[in-house]
Amino acid sequence: DSMGTVLVPSDKYYGAQTQRSLDNFKIGEEKMPREIIRAFGILKAAAARANFELRPEKMTEKKYRAILKACLEVCSGELDGNFPLAVWQTGSGTQSNMNINEVIANRANEILGEKMIHPNDDVNMSQSSNDTFPTAMHIAARLEIKERLIPAANKLIESFKTLEEQNDGVVKIGRTHLQDATPIKFAQEISGWRGMIESATTQIAAAER
């Protein structure tokens, strides 16, 4: 590329900038989470669509369709072997942003059968890692909340309801430090646990809007 020659594995879709990060940041075993990679796939697809709608002379339909297909493959996990970077990198996540751009561009060119999509000029069109990485984090958080956190919280709530029914007749002594200084039913205490989870999920739902 414009910065010089870098040797990149021939069986990978990433390019020179990703390889430089691998060479220069040989630290830790913690890789960029799959959730962030998936979120980047969604983000890059949305950016390509916006550019296609607003600047069709630059983001042609041919380019857009190929980029979109590559993004969907990123989201599905088909290209997971092409994201080797550690979480230890520049503060704005520039290297992961470029890793995504290179993979999508090279896969899109393979789909087209010709080299017409550039990582910077096309996949990263009108974007900055200072914007894309925080956006990807928000997308990843939203997906994890919807797909994992809320279902797990609801399952816990149902478990507490079952425990309340099973312990309805059990009376326990009061403990001042837990603000139940008079005897209460164990079911009542369990209902407090349930209430905290229900309140938390309500607040999470409100924050998502």
Side-chain angles (χ1 to χ4, degrees):
D1 63 7
S2 60
M3 295 177 65
T5 301
V6 179
L7 295 178
V8 180
S10 60
D11 61 340
K12 300 298 182 183
Y13 287 112
Y14 59 75
Q17 294 208 40
T18 300
Q19 188 61 49
R20 285 195 184 91
S21 180
L22 284 172
D23 294 340
N24 295 328
F25 290 84
K26 297 178 180 179
I27 178 174
E29 300 295 328
E30 302 85 356
K31 302 301 182 182
M32 195 57 63
R34 171 77 185 90
E35 292 79 7
I36 293 292
I37 301 302
R38 176 190 179 193
F40 258 116
I42 295 170
L43 168 62
K44 295 298 179 178
R49 178 176 177 177
N51 286 320
F52 170 57
E53 293 177 354
L54 297 172
R55 300 296 300 275
E57 74 281 5
K58 290 185 175 294
M59 179 60 71
T60 64
E61 183 172 3
K62 186 176 183 179
K63 287 182 177 181
Y64 167 59
R65 297 300 176 190
I67 289 173
L68 178 60
K69 188 175 189 306
C71 288
L72 293 176
E73 291 179 2
V74 169
C75 294
S76 69
E78 295 177 57
L79 304 179
D80 276 359
N82 293 277
F83 305 103
L85 299 188
V87 297
W88 311 109
Q89 51 181 275
T90 59
S92 61
T94 300
Q95 292 147 13
S96 279
N97 184 47
M98 281 310 304
N99 181 198
I100 294 286
N101 292 332
E102 290 177 336
V103 171
I104 292 173
N106 287 324
R107 174 59 183 134
N109 285 328
E110 185 177 65
I111 292 169
L112 291 172
E114 57 181 312
K115 192 171 183 179
M116 64 180 300
I117 295 175
H118 191 278
N120 282 333
D121 298 342
D122 298 307
V123 183
N124 200 56
M125 187 189 299
S126 302
Q127 300 161 56
S128 165
S129 58
N130 289 302
D131 301 316
T132 58
F133 205 93
T135 300
M137 288 193 296
H138 280 84
I139 293 172
R142 177 65 180 85
L143 291 173
E144 290 299 291
I145 287 171
K146 179 181 179 181
E147 297 174 1
R148 298 180 63 183
L149 179 61
I150 296 301
N154 288 335
K155 186 175 181 180
L156 183 57
I157 288 169
E158 292 305 313
S159 296
F160 282 149
K161 287 180 180 179
T162 299
L163 285 175
E164 287 177 59
E165 295 174 1
Q166 294 173 345
N167 293 277
D168 188 55
V170 178
V171 177
K172 55 180 292 187
I173 61 173
R175 297 167 299 176
T176 305
H177 63 287
L178 291 182
Q179 298 181 352
D180 55 3
T182 58
I184 62 170
K185 292 192 293 186
F186 188 32
Q188 288 177 286
E189 185 171 342
I190 296 172
S191 73
W193 305 340
R194 171 175 55 80
M196 287 190 293
I197 302 300
E198 289 173 335
S199 176
T201 56
T202 299
Q203 293 179 57
I204 291 170
E208 288 183 296
R209 290 196 291 269

